[in-house]
Coordinates of all heavy atoms in Angstrom, one line a residue:
L759 N 0.8 -1.2 0.0 CA 0.0 0.0 0.0 C 0.9 1.2 0.0 O 2.0 1.2 0.5 CB -0.9 0.0 1.2 CG -1.8 -1.2 1.4 CD1 -2.5 -1.2 2.8 CD2 -2.9 -1.2 0.4
S760 N 0.3 2.3 -0.5 CA 1.0 3.6 -0.4 C 0.3 4.5 0.6 O -0.8 4.3 0.9 CB 1.1 4.3 -1.8 OG -0.3 4.5 -2.3
A761 N 1.0 5.5 1.0 CA 0.5 6.4 2.1 C 0.9 7.8 1.8 O 1.9 8.1 1.1 CB 1.0 6.0 3.4
K762 N 0.1 8.8 2.3 CA 0.4 10.2 2.2 C 0.7 10.6 3.6 O -0.2 10.9 4.4 CB -0.8 11.0 1.7 CG -1.3 10.5 0.3 CD -2.7 11.1 0.0 CE -3.3 10.4 -1.3 NZ -4.7 10.8 -1.5
R763 N 2.0 10.6 3.9 CA 2.4 11.0 5.3 C 2.6 12.5 5.4 O 3.1 13.2 4.6 CB 3.8 10.3 5.6 CG 4.3 10.5 7.0 CD 5.4 9.5 7.4 NE 6.5 9.7 6.5 CZ 7.6 8.8 6.5 NH1 7.6 7.8 7.3 NH2 8.6 9.0 5.7
L764 N 2.1 13.0 6.6 CA 2.2 14.4 6.9 C 3.6 14.7 7.4 O 4.1 14.1 8.4 CB 1.2 14.8 7.9 CG -0.2 15.2 7.3 CD1 -0.9 14.0 6.8 CD2 -1.0 15.9 8.4
R765 N 4.3 15.6 6.8 CA 5.6 16.0 7.3 C 5.5 16.9 8.5 O 4.5 17.6 8.7 CB 6.4 16.9 6.2 CG 6.7 16.1 4.9 CD 7.7 17.0 4.1 NE 8.0 16.3 2.8 CZ 7.4 16.6 1.7 NH1 6.4 17.5 1.7 NH2 7.8 16.0 0.6
A766 N 6.5 16.9 9.4 CA 6.5 17.7 10.6 C 6.5 19.2 10.2 O 5.9 20.0 10.9 CB 7.7 17.3 11.4
S767 N 7.1 19.5 9.1 CA 7.2 20.9 8.6 C 6.0 21.3 7.8 O 5.9 22.5 7.4 CB 8.5 21.1 7.8 OG 8.4 20.2 6.7
G768 N 5.0 20.4 7.6 CA 3.8 20.7 6.8 C 3.9 20.1 5.5 O 5.0 19.7 5.0
G769 N 2.8 19.8 4.8 CA 2.8 19.2 3.5 C 2.7 17.7 3.6 O 2.8 17.1 4.7
L770 N 2.6 17.1 2.4 CA 2.5 15.6 2.3 C 3.6 15.0 1.6 O 4.2 15.7 0.7 CB 1.2 15.2 1.6 CG -0.1 15.7 2.3 CD1 -1.3 15.4 1.4 CD2 -0.3 15.0 3.6
E771 N 4.0 13.8 1.9 CA 5.0 13.1 1.2 C 4.5 11.7 0.9 O 4.1 11.0 1.8 CB 6.4 13.0 1.9 CG 6.3 12.4 3.3 CD 7.7 12.3 3.9 OE1 8.7 12.2 3.1 OE2 7.8 12.2 5.1
P772 N 4.5 11.2 -0.4 CA 4.1 9.9 -0.7 C 5.2 8.9 -0.3 O 6.4 9.0 -0.6 CB 3.9 9.9 -2.2 CG 4.8 11.0 -2.7 CD 4.9 12.0 -1.6
V773 N 4.8 7.8 0.5 CA 5.7 6.8 1.0 C 5.0 5.4 0.9 O 3.8 5.4 0.9 CB 6.2 7.0 2.4 CG1 7.0 8.3 2.5 CG2 5.0 7.0 3.4
P774 N 5.8 4.3 0.7 CA 5.2 3.0 0.8 C 4.7 2.8 2.3 O 5.3 3.3 3.2 CB 6.3 2.1 0.4 CG 7.5 2.8 0.7 CD 7.2 4.3 0.4
A775 N 3.6 2.0 2.4 CA 3.1 1.7 3.7 C 4.1 1.0 4.6 O 4.1 1.2 5.8 CB 1.9 0.8 3.6
S776 N 5.1 0.3 4.0 CA 6.1 -0.4 4.8 C 7.0 0.6 5.5 O 7.8 0.2 6.4 CB 6.9 -1.4 4.0 OG 7.4 -0.7 2.9
A777 N 7.0 1.8 5.0 CA 7.9 2.8 5.6 C 7.3 3.6 6.8 O 8.0 4.3 7.5 CB 8.3 3.9 4.5
L778 N 6.0 3.3 7.0 CA 5.4 4.0 8.1 C 5.8 3.4 9.5 O 6.1 2.2 9.6 CB 3.9 3.9 8.0 CG 3.2 4.5 6.8 CD1 1.7 4.2 6.8 CD2 3.4 6.0 6.9
R779 N 5.9 4.3 10.5 CA 6.3 3.9 11.8 C 5.3 4.4 12.8 O 4.5 5.3 12.5 CB 7.7 4.5 12.1 CG 8.9 4.0 11.3 CD 9.1 2.5 11.5 NE 10.2 1.9 10.8 CZ 10.1 1.4 9.6 NH1 8.9 1.3 9.0 NH2 11.1 0.9 8.9
L780 N 5.4 3.8 14.0 CA 4.5 4.2 15.1 C 4.5 5.7 15.3 O 5.6 6.3 15.4 CB 4.9 3.4 16.4 CG 4.1 3.6 17.6 CD1 2.7 3.0 17.5 CD2 4.8 3.1 18.8
G781 N 3.3 6.3 15.3 CA 3.3 7.7 15.6 C 3.1 8.6 14.3 O 2.8 9.8 14.4
D782 N 3.4 8.0 13.2 CA 3.3 8.8 11.9 C 1.8 9.1 11.7 O 0.9 8.4 12.1 CB 3.8 8.0 10.7 CG 5.3 7.9 10.6 OD1 5.9 8.7 11.4 OD2 5.8 7.1 9.8
V783 N 1.6 10.3 11.0 CA 0.2 10.7 10.7 C 0.1 10.7 9.2 O 0.9 11.3 8.5 CB -0.1 12.1 11.3 CG1 -1.5 12.5 10.9 CG2 0.0 12.1 12.8
V784 N -1.0 10.1 8.7 CA -1.3 10.0 7.3 C -2.6 10.6 6.9 O -3.5 10.6 7.8 CB -1.2 8.5 6.8 CG1 0.2 8.0 7.0 CG2 -2.2 7.6 7.4
L785 N -2.7 11.1 5.7 CA -4.0 11.6 5.2 C -4.6 10.5 4.3 O -3.9 10.0 3.4 CB -3.8 12.9 4.4 CG -5.1 13.5 3.8 CD1 -6.0 14.0 4.9 CD2 -4.7 14.6 2.8
V786 N -5.9 10.2 4.5 CA -6.5 9.2 3.7 C -7.8 9.8 3.2 O -8.7 10.3 3.9 CB -6.9 7.9 4.5 CG1 -7.4 6.8 3.6 CG2 -5.7 7.4 5.4
E787 N -7.9 9.8 1.8 CA -9.0 10.5 1.1 C -9.9 9.5 0.5 O -9.7 8.3 0.5 CB -8.4 11.5 0.1 CG -7.5 12.6 0.7 CD -6.9 13.5 -0.3 OE1 -6.0 13.0 -1.0 OE2 -7.3 14.7 -0.3
T788 N -11.0 10.1 -0.1 CA -12.0 9.2 -0.7 C -11.3 8.3 -1.8 O -10.6 8.8 -2.6 CB -13.1 10.1 -1.4 OG1 -13.7 10.9 -0.4 CG2 -14.1 9.2 -2.1

């Protein structure tokens, strides 16, 4: 799966789901 991770500085970065770690915040749209 892919994810839209929120950067700490603002904005979104596309990353693979396997790169997500505990505490990350992602945006999920329709």
